[in-house]
Amino acid sequence: METIIILVFVLGYLAITVEHSIKIDKLIPALVMMAISWALISLGIDTFPQWFDSANHGLVEGFESLGHESKMHWMEETLLHHLGKTAEILVFLLGAMTIVEIIDYFDGFSTIKSFIKTKSKKRILWIFGFLAFFLSAIIDNLTATIVLISILQKLVYDRSVRIWYAGLIIIAANAGGAWSPIGDVTTTMLWIGKKVTTGHLFVYLFLPSLICMLVPFFIASFMSPFKGNLEQSTEDADDKPKSKFSSTMLYLGLGGIVSVPVFKTVTHLPPYVGMMLALGVVAIFAEIYSNSKFSISSHDSAESDAHAHHSPVHHSLSKIELPSILFFLGILMAVAALESLGILFGFAGTLQDTMPMLGTELHHGGVSDLVVLLLGVGSAVIDNVPLVAASLGMFTEPIDNELWHFIAYSAGTGGSMLIIGSAAGVVAMGMEKIDFFWYLKKISWLALIGFLAGAVVFMFTRTIF
């Protein structure tokens, strides 16, 4: 039965990886393999020799000798535990996504565009690089990529130049997301799973992440697509924000998201509670401002009418990327099925025994650096969410062990090496119709150099701390 469950997982995974070829959204195989895996566990519960207790991070003693009812009870308790942990991540993401949509409702991100006055391609590259790096740490790398590519489309009219910017924004956004607990889904998972804390994450990963971004941008700034100036356009005149509250809502929304780690530190409550509070506060101001008859400027009367008859919160909720939320639900619960059977636990042991201890062995952990670097390379081919979910079940190191910080760095930045390797890459691919092989030829090598440079810096910084 274990073999069948592993096979279901591998086939589901394959379908997720080649979603663009088979034209089936990755949320479908994720949900199907989750449901089938747990159904097979339920049907074959009496045949499994061991059970992994996720709450206590260890195998259940004497599981094989338990009766059918006791085994079913263990399964139900474990399923509930994993659903609770997954729901924490999903509710957190829903809150963050809604706040970003509310900012967008008030055209808040146009405030950022109004700051960019230069026409030099090289300067714009660096401006967008630093914007992506810091913005992704605040509003997450996926959202930062959407925002910045939307701004790019109003600045750079030549698509052949714009896709170069988009490719480098993916690298910067993924690097920026790695050092913040709210910057990347995988880092959020490690944070909510009590593997890393905000302070240590910043101390360990800020410098490696910055180097991971700076090195590719430095090389790219000497390349031909970034020489000279951008073309002028007649559209530049019509750049006023559609709402007079755009800048207020931008700062309020970003401030709300940034306050979540502070709320968690002060109250010791799970992060999703703070995110719901932030959403509530932002929503109050959104409703007040939208009821102001001057909230949307009169130059766009059609949009003004649409906004007038719509609550900004309802409008924002309707625009949330729900397929992503369901995909995370499916993939995290499918990985939980493998974890519960002790498969990941056994795989981790095998990995640690067989991998050569290349480089420095992680203090306390005994996990080879090569394993973590391979995890980073793997996250470019496979989605990084299940890889981190698997590592949570594989390794039992304590909170803030450098292993978790290295995993956060590798899984967060390694995905930049292929355009399908990260949420930021997938969304850029969709928005700009970037070809997989174009990215592989032009951008992947830059991402690899940045990834390795950052990894070397991490190995150096952890010896200091």
Side-chain angles (χ1 to χ4, degrees):
M1 192 67 91
E2 276 187 20
T3 315
I4 299 169
I5 291 168
I6 293 169
L7 196 65
V8 167
F9 189 82
V10 170
L11 290 172
Y13 222 90
L14 206 60
I16 289 166
T17 313
V18 298
E19 66 162 334
H20 297 289
S21 307
I22 59 173
K23 303 283 187 291
I24 292 176
D25 195 295
K26 61 183 176 181
L27 82 95
I28 297 165
L31 292 174
V32 169
M33 74 177 177
M34 177 267 279
I36 291 175
S37 297
W38 281 102
L40 290 170
I41 289 174
S42 180
L43 293 169
I45 192 76
D46 294 323
T47 64
F48 301 120
Q50 59 184 18
W51 191 262
F52 187 78
D53 180 8
S54 306
N56 297 311
H57 294 289
L59 294 171
V60 177
E61 284 183 28
F63 180 77
E64 206 172 2
S65 57
L66 293 175
H68 179 75
E69 289 300 318
S70 301
K71 286 182 176 180
M72 288 300 284
H73 175 73
W74 266 113
M75 187 198 73
E76 286 163 16
E77 286 293 313
T78 307
L79 190 55
L80 203 58
H81 168 82
H82 283 296
L83 182 63
K85 287 290 162 198
T86 304
E88 280 190 23
I89 295 167
L90 301 188
V91 172
F92 179 91
L93 289 173
L94 277 170
M97 286 175 171
T98 310
I99 290 174
V100 169
E101 289 296 343
I102 290 173
I103 295 172
D104 194 47
Y105 177 91
F106 286 94
D107 203 22
F109 294 113
S110 63
T111 309
I112 297 171
K113 185 184 178 239
S114 64
F115 294 146
I116 302 167
K117 304 293 184 193
T118 181
K119 286 288 171 188
S120 160
K121 288 181 181 178
K122 193 179 286 190
R123 277 191 194 154
I124 286 174
L125 173 70
W126 283 105
I127 289 169
F128 273 89
F130 283 109
L131 272 176
F133 185 78
F134 289 105
L135 203 57
S136 65
I138 301 169
I139 59 172
D140 85 59
N141 50 12
L142 170 68
T143 314
T145 306
I146 295 169
V147 169
L148 292 174
I149 289 179
S150 302
I151 297 169
L152 258 186
Q153 287 169 343
K154 293 168 186 162
L155 271 178
V156 184
Y157 300 101
D158 182 354
R159 185 183 163 275
S160 62
V161 176
R162 196 167 64 233
I163 56 175
W164 275 93
Y165 281 106
L168 283 144
I169 282 172
I170 294 167
I171 296 174
N174 286 335
W179 61 271
S180 158
I182 51 179
D184 185 276
V185 178
T186 52
T187 325
T188 303
M189 284 163 63
L190 290 165
W191 182 49
I192 290 175
K194 294 189 173 63
K195 299 299 179 190
V196 295
T197 57
T198 309
H200 281 77
L201 199 63
F202 176 78
V203 168
Y204 273 109
L205 294 190
F206 180 76
L207 199 58
S209 299
L210 187 62
I211 295 298
C212 178
M213 182 277 266
L214 289 176
V215 172
F217 271 71
F218 178 73
I219 296 167
S221 64
F222 293 102
M223 292 163 70
S224 57
F226 301 107
K227 287 180 178 164
N229 292 334
L230 290 175
E231 306 158 14
Q232 286 285 94
S233 170
T234 52
E235 288 177 48
D236 288 355
D238 189 31
D239 273 348
K240 288 177 186 164
K242 296 190 183 82
S243 168
K244 67 172 186 175
F245 299 114
S246 60
S247 56
T248 313
M249 288 308 294
L250 174 72
Y251 301 132
L252 183 69
L254 297 185
I257 295 173
V258 172
S259 70
V260 175
V262 181
F263 179 87
K264 181 186 184 292
T265 308
V266 173
T267 62
H268 302 291
L269 286 168
Y272 72 89
V273 182
M275 187 58 85
M276 290 298 107
L277 175 64
L279 174 58
V281 172
V282 172
I284 289 168
F285 283 92
E287 294 288 341
I288 293 168
Y289 290 159
S290 73
N291 291 331
S292 160
K293 61 181 177 178
F294 301 114
S295 69
I296 307 293
S297 66
S298 57
H299 79 272
D300 193 346
S301 58
E303 189 146 354
S304 169
D305 292 342
H307 280 240
H309 298 299
H310 225 312
S311 152
V313 181
H314 287 189
H315 176 82
S316 303
L317 282 165
S318 70
K319 291 189 76 180
I320 278 177
E321 185 68 17
L322 207 58
S324 297
I325 297 288
L326 285 172
F327 167 70
F328 294 141
L329 171 70
I331 203 78
L332 292 172
M333 293 301 287
V335 171
L338 294 186
E339 183 188 314
S340 301
L341 296 176
I343 294 169
L344 296 181
F345 192 68
F347 180 67
T350 312
L351 209 58
Q352 282 170 236
D353 294 340
T354 55
M355 268 299 164
M357 287 294 178
L358 269 188
T360 323
E361 190 176 312
L362 288 169
H363 319 302
H364 328 302
V367 180
S368 165
D369 285 351
L370 188 65
V371 173
V372 186
L373 286 171
L374 284 174
L375 190 82
V377 176
S379 73
V381 183
I382 306 164
D383 199 276
N384 56 4
V385 172
L387 282 177
V388 172
S391 72
L392 286 168
M394 280 160 62
F395 308 118
T396 54
E397 272 63 32
I399 189 168
D400 276 331
N401 182 284
E402 43 269 61
L403 169 70
W404 299 119
H405 294 100
F406 201 11
I407 287 173
Y409 170 79
S410 288
T413 60
S416 306
M417 285 183 263
L418 290 179
I419 197 163
I420 57 163
S422 65
V426 172
V427 78
M429 190 182 194
M431 288 178 80
E432 284 295 348
K433 304 289 180 280
I434 300 171
D435 182 65
F436 176 88
F437 293 103
W438 179 88
Y439 187 93
L440 188 67
K441 279 190 285 192
K442 309 286 187 184
I443 309 288
S444 292
W445 66 277
L446 289 167
L448 176 63
I449 292 170
F451 172 72
L452 294 173
V456 170
V457 172
F458 175 82
M459 289 172 193
F460 176 69
T461 54
R462 73 164 176 220
T463 57
I464 301 169
F465 301 118

